[in-house]
Amino acid sequence: MDTNTNTNQKNSTTVATPLISAQIISELKTETNNMLSFAIHNGIIINTEINALVQNNSNVDDLINAHNLLVKNVAPATPKSINYIKETFKNGKEKSFFNKLPLLRNLIILTVLFIVFFIVTGLSPNVNNDSLDKGIMNNHGLSLLLNIGFLTSTAGLGVMFYLLKKVCASIAKGTLKPEETISYIAQIILGIISGLIVSEIISLYSVNPNDINLFNKSVLALIGGFSSDSIFSIIQGIIDRIKAVFIPLSN
C-alpha cells in the first residue's frame, strides 16, 4: 500500500503544471525587451534596478518586478501600445511611406474627401447666407441637401483636424493602441453629428437672425466637429440636471 501511495504521489507531482504558463513568461520577456528598446531610443531614464532583475536565470518574480518598473518608466506608453507601433512599422517596412501606418493613411484620405466635398458644396449657388439662415426646418429639396452636405463636410474637417493631431501625438509618445483604429470611426460620426447639432440648434437661439451667416454657421459646425467630446458632456450634463428635477435622488 505504501509503495502504491508513493507512486501515485510522484505521478501527481509529475503532471502538475505551474499557475503561470511558459507563454505568459515569454510575453513578459518580450514586453520587457520592447519597453527597454523604446526607453533607450526615446531617451527615457531607466531604473538601474532592472539590470539585476533581467539576468539569464531570472525567476518569475524578478521578471514581474522588472516589468512593473519599466511600465512606470515608459508611461504614458504601455506595453500594448509599444508593441502595436513596433509591429505596425515592422509590417510596413517594405511599403511606401504613405502605407506604413494604415490608420494615419485612412485619416488623411478621409480628410481629403471632406475637403473636396466642402469645396464642391461651397461652390454651389444653392449654398449661401440666405439658404443657411433658413436652416433644416425651412429649407427643402436640393438646396437642403447641399446645405447639410456643406455643414457635414465642415464638421468632418473639424473632427479630422482633432484626430490627426491626436494620432500624431500618440505616435510620438508611443501611446497608440490597436483598438483606437475602431474607436476613431465612431468619433468621426459623433463629430459630424455634433457639428450639425451645434450649427443648427445653437443658431436658432441667436438674438438677431441677420447675424446667422455663412461664416458663423461654418465656424459652429467646425467647432462642433472638433469638440464633440465637450458637446456630448454638455448635453449629458443638461440631461442629468433635468433628470434630477423630475427623478428625485433616492436616500
Side-chain angles (χ1 to χ4, degrees), residues 29-41:
K29 292 179 179 179
T30 301
E31 290 185 356
T32 299
N33 286 324
N34 287 341
M35 286 189 286
L36 276 171
S37 177
F38 176 82
I40 291 170
H41 285 97

Side-chain angles (χ1 to χ4, degrees), residues 28 61 73 81 85 87 102 107 111 114 137 160 181 208 241:
L28 275 172
D61 289 341
N73 288 153
S81 63
I85 294 175
E87 291 298 321
L107 290 178
T111 302
F114 279 127
M137 302 302 295
M160 297 310 298
T181 59
N208 184 3
R241 289 178 179 273

